[in-house]
Amino acid sequence: MYPELFHLSFLHTYGVLVAIGFLAGLWIASRLGAQAGLDVDAVTNLGIYCALSAIAGAKVMMFLVDVPYYIAHPGEIFSFSTLQAGGIFYGGLIAALGVSWWYIRKTRLPGLKTADAFAPAIALGHGIGRLGCFSAGCCWGVLCNRPWAVVFHNPAANQLVGVPLGVPLHPTQLYEAFSEFAIFGFLYWRSGKAHRPGAIISQYLILYPVVRFIVEFFRYHDQANPFGGPLDTSQWISLVLVSLGAWYFLRKQPLPAKPAPARHRA
């Protein structure tokens, strides 16, 4: 793959695609927010706060998932490789949700409508970010004997993220990226239809965790699963999020009333 743009060691493809994903997602959230009658400036500021908190949350989750390693190698916490690592998406999502709750209360934005505006944006931005993972070689899959297996050859990818070279692997990054693009398309389409406040974000909390739960079975992990079972940390979080999303989506609530047609005077 191409972990470095133009063969420049300081210009990583992963970082560039993550930045593009953030900007694309922010544009979508602002567009949907405007259509929902939200304060576009407040939505834009929220997107920036969420991005910053997501970066920190993803790193914290990475440390928590692999505590024994960082206890044995405390210097790695502040190493350049740790700084370059993207972390764990669910840690960033949880942190962003917490910051969103605080900011929405502060600015009095309607919570569920705001979350609905961000749901398709999250899917789009994350999908583009996963293309960055693929370009860098991180989040690689287990051995694969299928025709669509991918083989990494670039030594820079091995040095940066440790992906094995010359071995056919499941393209787990692409599994997730293409699934996220499909989720984005569906949620964006649903946003244009009549829906209850919270219906879009609840569908995201069902669809993405299901994808992540399945993809995790094909992804390489170097840390033991919690509770000694077959499921890893991300899969347990997926089960919780699916349950929350399904609980809200299946609640019986009336659709918002359609505005009465305007009467024209003769």
Side-chain angles (χ1 to χ4, degrees):
M1 291 299 103
Y2 301 94
E4 299 169 348
L5 289 176
F6 310 115
H7 302 288
L8 299 175
S9 60
F10 61 87
L11 189 59
H12 294 169
T13 311
Y14 174 78
V16 171
L17 285 172
V18 167
I20 292 173
F22 165 70
L23 293 175
L26 189 60
W27 180 74
I28 290 293
S30 300
R31 179 183 177 89
L32 292 177
Q35 292 176 0
L38 303 177
D39 183 333
V40 175
D41 289 338
V43 169
T44 302
N45 291 336
L46 175 57
I48 295 172
Y49 289 143
C50 284
L52 296 175
S53 60
I55 293 172
K59 291 285 198 301
V60 171
M61 179 69 78
M62 181 178 69
F63 297 146
L64 293 177
V65 166
D66 210 4
V67 168
Y69 173 81
Y70 288 105
I71 291 178
H73 307 84
E76 286 296 312
I77 296 176
F78 305 102
S79 68
F80 186 61
S81 60
T82 299
L83 179 64
Q84 289 179 311
I88 297 178
F89 172 75
Y90 272 148
L93 179 62
I94 293 170
L97 289 174
V99 169
S100 297
W101 178 82
W102 164 78
Y103 186 80
I104 286 171
R105 284 178 60 88
K106 178 183 177 182
T107 58
R108 300 183 183 277
L109 282 168
L112 293 177
K113 282 189 175 182
T114 304
D116 284 344
F118 272 92
I122 295 171
L124 177 62
H126 192 198
I128 296 174
R130 281 302 182 200
L131 294 180
C133 287
F134 185 64
S135 67
C138 63
C139 309
W140 66 89
V142 296
L143 292 175
C144 179
N145 58 3
R146 302 295 183 181
W148 57 82
V150 296
V151 179
F152 293 91
H153 298 287
N154 196 317
N158 176 263
Q159 295 170 4
L160 287 171
V161 300
V163 60
L165 304 180
V167 180
L169 305 172
H170 275 281
T172 47
Q173 312 94 328
L174 297 184
Y175 294 163
E176 200 164 333
F178 295 153
S179 298
E180 285 279 46
F181 293 144
I183 292 172
F184 161 71
F186 172 73
L187 295 182
Y188 191 83
W189 171 76
R190 282 289 293 119
S191 296
K193 306 294 183 180
H195 60 271
R196 303 187 306 270
I200 307 301
I201 187 63
S202 63
Q203 288 176 87
Y204 172 80
L205 292 177
I206 296 170
L207 293 173
Y208 173 70
V210 168
V211 169
R212 183 63 179 265
F213 186 91
I214 295 172
V215 170
E216 286 294 308
F217 286 115
F218 301 96
R219 186 170 164 179
Y220 173 78
H221 300 280
D222 56 3
Q223 67 269 4
N225 292 340
F227 314 118
L231 304 182
D232 63 29
T233 303
S234 293
Q235 288 174 313
W236 282 109
I237 296 175
S238 294
L239 291 176
V240 173
L241 294 179
V242 166
S243 300
L244 290 174
W247 168 78
Y248 184 84
F249 183 72
L250 295 176
R251 291 174 63 192
K252 292 184 178 179
Q253 294 181 343
L255 287 171
K258 295 182 178 180
R263 295 183 179 179
H264 299 281
R265 295 181 179 179

